[in-house]
Amino acid sequence: MAVGATREPQTPEGVGATAPLWRAAQAFRLVTALYAIGQEIASAPYYRHPGLSWVLIGLLVLWSIVSAALLSQWRISTSRRVRTTVVIGDHLVVIALMAATRLVADYAWFHGHQTVPTTLWAANAVISAAIASGPVGGVVSGVLISAVSIVVRAQWELDLWSDATAPMLVSVGLALGLAADTARRAHRQLQRAALLTAAARERERLAREVHDGVLQVLSYIKRRGNEIGGSTAELAQRAAEQEVALRVLLSEQSAPVPDVPDSPAAEQDLRPLLTAQASPDVSVSAPADPVPVAREAARELAAAVAAALSNTVLHAGPDAKAYVLLEDTGEEVIVSVRDDGPGIPDGRLAEAAAQGRMGVSRSIVGRITALGGTADLRTDDGAEWEFRLPRHRPTRKG
């Protein structure tokens, strides 16, 4: 029986999850083989054919050693197939040895005593089935071995309260089956967590490289384009738009992955989505504590802020500074986006909407309204957006 102290490799079948159970089971198998030998020494004088009984015990010991060695090989690629074969063989050997009891003992003996393979050793087949197949396989195996014991010993009048064979075997199968299933489930969750952690680290690495490369280039193009002016101003505007969009994308990728990734109701911290949009021209202030909001709301708020910052870049001038403030009152989340530009002339938004330019109404107001919040714009001293999102979305009537 191979017992290793090294960590189990992760296999597609999740074999490593139940490796400790298999180890313990093989130790139990060898101990019960010793118990069967001791029982044979005590019972052989009462057998009709003691020599044959010793041959059967020899086969029991040989199978115990072979099966323990095979069931301990969880590192080989065919370990699952090998285990299935051994578990089936286990049941065949146990049933054959139990039936052979009638060849070595008379009715008076086998009717009131254990079979040649003691009940304790026969439990190895149930244990192996439970670890390999879970509680259902364990219980079925326990019932099967119990039924064979009843038939071989001709105990049709079996009283479950006086004979513990059936309750013991079924209970062992159920308990170890549940333990094996729990181990496999925990192993899968651990593997998933490891994959998510690795993916998150890779995203962070890529985000750092993008931040150190692409974002700096876009920022440089925006600054130089505004300085040169003329035909390069449009290039500067486009670079500014892409810089904001890329910052939003990076903030979404670096945000923690919720337990239910596809659920819009899963919450995430709003702060990383906003702080990712900080730049030399954009200052972001957020609370020290997390501000959890629904994942969908967090993305839409971040997109609205990005749209407001994009308008600042496009309309407030190259030297304008923007300030983003995040507040959490408990009842609602408030996000303010303010710039120190010249502001928006009266009637300008209505004129843009009449011309079919729906950037503000769709990208900003539409997003916040769809979330059940409000978006207010003040233009007296620069432009200031104030987004208010209630913690509990109001229920629509009608």
Side-chain angles (χ1 to χ4, degrees):
M1 179 177 61
V3 178
T6 58
R7 185 177 179 180
E8 305 297 336
Q10 295 180 348
T11 63
E13 300 87 355
V15 172
T18 54
L21 291 176
W22 285 114
R23 291 195 199 102
Q26 304 329 302
F28 178 80
R29 181 186 296 270
L30 297 181
V31 170
T32 56
L34 294 177
Y35 172 76
I37 295 174
Q39 187 67 22
E40 167 68 12
I41 295 174
S43 302
Y46 303 96
Y47 288 154
R48 183 173 56 194
H49 300 293
L52 179 59
S53 69
W54 278 108
V55 173
L56 297 177
I57 291 298
L59 294 175
L60 180 151
V61 173
L62 178 62
W63 175 253
S64 296
I65 295 174
V66 172
S67 58
L70 292 175
L71 292 176
S72 299
Q73 302 304 314
W74 59 85
R75 290 184 178 85
I76 61 177
S77 59
T78 58
S79 58
R80 182 165 185 158
R81 184 172 59 192
V82 169
R83 280 199 178 90
T84 301
T85 303
V86 174
V87 169
I88 295 174
D90 235 351
H91 287 75
L92 296 177
V93 171
V94 168
I95 293 173
L97 289 177
M98 293 176 74
T101 303
R102 291 200 170 196
L103 299 177
V104 300
D106 53 24
Y107 178 85
W109 176 262
F110 65 67
H111 181 68
H113 296 81
Q114 297 187 75
T115 56
V116 170
T118 63
T119 302
L120 200 61
W121 187 85
N124 286 289
V126 179
I127 293 173
S128 296
I131 299 176
S133 306
V136 174
V139 171
V140 171
S141 174
V143 171
L144 173 63
I145 300 301
S146 300
V148 172
S149 176
I150 292 172
V151 172
V152 170
R153 295 157 64 191
Q155 291 186 332
W156 311 112
E157 74 285 0
L158 177 66
D159 184 358
L160 293 178
W161 298 106
S162 62
D163 191 312
T165 299
M168 185 271 289
L169 292 176
V170 173
S171 298
V172 167
L174 177 62
L176 284 180
L178 291 173
D181 274 5
T182 300
R184 279 187 282 265
R185 183 165 56 251
H187 185 71
R188 287 193 297 268
Q189 292 174 348
L190 180 61
Q191 285 185 317
R192 180 176 181 272
L195 290 175
L196 290 176
T197 300
R201 289 177 178 173
E202 180 63 14
R203 288 197 301 267
E204 291 176 359
R205 184 186 67 82
L206 293 175
R208 287 193 298 268
E209 293 184 359
V210 171
H211 184 276
D212 294 340
V214 179
L215 286 177
Q216 290 184 1
V217 172
L218 290 174
S219 179
Y220 176 76
I221 293 174
K222 177 186 69 175
R223 185 174 64 254
R224 289 293 297 159
N226 287 324
E227 291 174 354
I228 296 173
S231 59
T232 60
E234 182 179 357
L235 177 62
Q237 292 178 356
R238 297 290 179 258
E241 292 174 354
Q242 294 306 310
E243 180 186 2
V244 172
L246 187 54
R247 288 184 184 278
V248 173
L249 178 61
L250 291 178
S251 66
E252 291 179 351
Q253 293 298 315
S254 61
V257 178
D259 291 336
V260 187
D262 296 330
S263 173
E267 291 189 339
Q268 69 178 99
D269 191 0
L270 179 60
R271 297 176 305 166
L273 298 178
L274 300 184
T275 56
Q277 303 186 45
S279 69
D281 297 329
V282 178
S283 176
V284 179
S285 299
D289 297 326
V291 182
V293 296
R295 190 182 186 198
E296 177 188 5
R299 289 184 171 182
E300 292 298 294
L301 273 171
V305 171
L309 293 175
S310 179
N311 284 336
T312 298
V313 173
L314 295 175
H315 305 297
D319 297 326
K321 303 294 183 181
Y323 306 89
V324 179
L325 174 63
L326 172 61
E327 300 175 86
D328 186 2
T329 66
E331 295 295 328
E332 61 181 357
V333 174
I334 305 174
V335 181
S336 301
V337 183
R338 179 177 60 85
D339 65 58
D340 57 4
I344 302 176
D346 293 338
R348 177 56 183 159
L349 294 181
E351 179 184 349
Q355 295 174 352
R357 300 171 62 184
M358 307 297 291
V360 171
S361 61
R362 289 181 178 173
S363 298
I364 300 179
V365 180
R367 291 178 185 273
I368 305 303
T369 302
L371 296 175
T374 59
D376 298 322
L377 174 63
R378 292 189 292 270
T379 61
D380 49 352
D381 183 15
E384 181 177 359
W385 283 100
E386 185 177 81
F387 308 137
R388 290 179 176 268
L389 182 65
R391 282 291 186 184
H392 302 286
R393 187 169 179 173
T395 303
R396 296 182 179 180
K397 296 181 181 180

